[in-house]
Amino acid sequence: MQQRLAILDDYQDVAHGFADWSALEKNGVSTSVFREPFQSEDALAAALTGFQIVVAMRERTPFPRSVLEQLPGLKLLVTTGMANAAIDVAAAEDLGITVCGTPGSLTAAPELTWALLLALARNLPAEENSLRAGTWQTSVGMELSGKTLGVVGLGKIGRRIAAYGQAFGMEVLAWSQNLTGEAAADAGVQKVSKADLFRNSDVATLHLRLSPRSEGIVGEPELRLLGPEGLLVNASRGPLVEQDALVRALNEGWIRGAALDVFDAEPITPAHPLLSTPNTVLSPHLGYVTQESYGQFYGGAFEDVRAWLAGSPVRVITG
């Protein structure tokens, strides 16, 4: 029986460069690629009617129960990575939809985070723009050596960031809701309270999964504690930070600046308030956008589809 596979949100038109999707044709699978984001749940459901297999790139397209219930033909939903807060996995199980994940890079996001941090500390985007406009040296940057780095979330990525900070001669503090003193000591960092982390850090960087418990975990109190010389880096998830508070913090000088790779809604609109705030370094969610990462994501998704077609799903994600 002919089956249809949809690859979603291939913004850069690269999916076919990282896996040979045409090889699935001998299994009776035809592939369609959707490059643009969907503007509503109804538009998404209408576009995917008739598809049995969907490959979703990270959390670009949400799949709540309300969408899944409109897709009675959907049997396999593949997400890149092994966790996706935008998919209602329990609803998928209820509806008989198998959800599978893929391997992912452990270095892409930390490297991008550190690039953003360095660019913010030394005002690189602003200096490049002024140089191209004919101006020479318009700001004074900040060195990292001897400063304090606060890592919010000491998981796989957070531990790498802590190590980067140590390599740059920084003292490293860490906090998360479940962090133990033993885990902090094992990473060579000091466990502190959330308030003390923001109060005592020169740079605070976020590395938490988005969940109801972590949403808005950084708001006005934390930003004011970070202070007028403090830097905030978020390459994790936009909703970890209360957007309105961050916009005010930047416009009113509560903090020195922010480097952001993630936003509340993506892609952001041209009128997004963060695009006009001062002292920012912004990138369009590039944390996982590398050749190596895409190779694992799309290659893993291809493996997931082939394994499911063979009746032996791999990397199944359960609720």
Side-chain angles (χ1 to χ4, degrees):
M1 182 183 72
Q2 182 75 21
Q3 301 199 70
R4 300 176 67 195
L5 182 153
I7 299 173
L8 304 186
D9 296 314
D10 184 13
Y11 300 160
Q12 300 147 301
D13 196 21
V14 296
H16 280 288
F18 289 97
D20 184 13
W21 300 100
S22 63
L24 296 173
E25 291 177 1
K26 64 184 179 182
N27 298 106
V29 178
S30 63
T31 302
S32 299
V33 176
F34 295 84
R35 293 189 60 188
E36 300 299 324
F38 297 96
Q39 299 304 311
S40 68
E41 289 188 2
D42 288 342
L44 172 62
L48 295 184
T49 297
F51 284 88
Q52 292 74 41
I53 306 168
V54 169
V55 174
M57 172 56 71
R58 303 302 293 146
E59 295 165 1
R60 292 176 180 177
T61 296
F63 282 90
R65 181 180 292 270
S66 55
V67 167
L68 296 174
E69 288 177 341
Q70 296 183 66
L71 300 173
L74 182 60
K75 301 302 178 186
L76 174 65
L77 177 55
V78 178
T79 175
T80 52
M82 287 302 298
N84 189 329
I87 294 176
D88 188 335
V89 176
E93 289 180 346
D94 293 343
L95 297 167
I97 302 169
T98 301
V99 180
C100 296
T102 74
S105 171
L106 291 176
T107 56
E111 289 180 3
L112 189 279
T113 299
W114 206 254
L116 288 173
L117 195 163
L118 288 171
L120 181 63
R122 300 301 290 270
N123 307 309
L124 291 184
E127 288 294 344
E128 180 186 5
N129 290 337
S130 68
L131 178 64
R132 292 181 183 276
T135 307
W136 191 260
Q137 293 184 352
T138 61
S139 64
V140 178
M142 181 183 89
E143 295 181 13
L144 299 181
S145 180
K147 301 297 193 300
T148 299
L149 175 68
V151 179
V152 179
L154 198 65
K156 293 178 181 178
I157 293 177
R159 288 175 68 95
R160 283 182 177 267
I161 294 299
Y164 293 171
Q166 291 162 343
F168 273 71
M170 303 183 78
E171 179 184 356
V172 182
L173 310 177
W175 173 85
S176 70
Q177 288 132 322
N178 297 325
L179 180 63
T180 65
E182 181 181 7
D186 184 62
V189 306
Q190 181 182 353
K191 176 182 178 293
V192 296
S193 68
K194 183 171 70 165
D196 282 344
L197 183 144
F198 282 91
R199 181 182 296 110
N200 297 317
S201 294
D202 299 290
V203 182
T205 178
L206 311 183
H207 303 286
L208 295 171
R209 287 185 178 179
L210 181 61
S211 69
R213 190 170 65 154
S214 64
E215 184 171 355
I217 204 162
V218 176
E220 179 173 344
E222 290 75 25
L223 294 169
R224 288 195 180 278
L225 284 172
L226 190 56
E229 294 302 314
L231 304 179
L232 179 74
V233 182
N234 185 11
S236 185
R237 293 293 183 271
L240 295 175
V241 182
E242 293 180 5
Q243 179 180 287
D244 290 346
L246 179 57
V247 170
R248 286 187 60 205
L250 291 164
N251 285 328
E252 298 176 15
W254 306 353
I255 61 176
R256 177 172 175 169
L260 309 171
D261 187 45
V262 290
F263 305 90
D264 281 8
E266 300 176 359
I268 63 173
T269 65
H272 196 287
L274 284 170
L275 293 177
S276 58
T277 52
N279 303 320
T280 53
V281 176
L282 309 177
S283 56
H285 207 154
L286 297 177
Y288 57 92
V289 183
T290 66
Q291 294 181 17
E292 295 81 2
S293 179
Y294 272 12
Q296 293 186 65
F297 280 170
Y298 284 120
F302 180 80
E303 292 172 354
D304 287 350
V305 174
R306 291 190 65 176
W308 179 81
L309 290 169
S312 301
V314 295
R315 295 186 286 263
V316 175
I317 299 173
T318 58

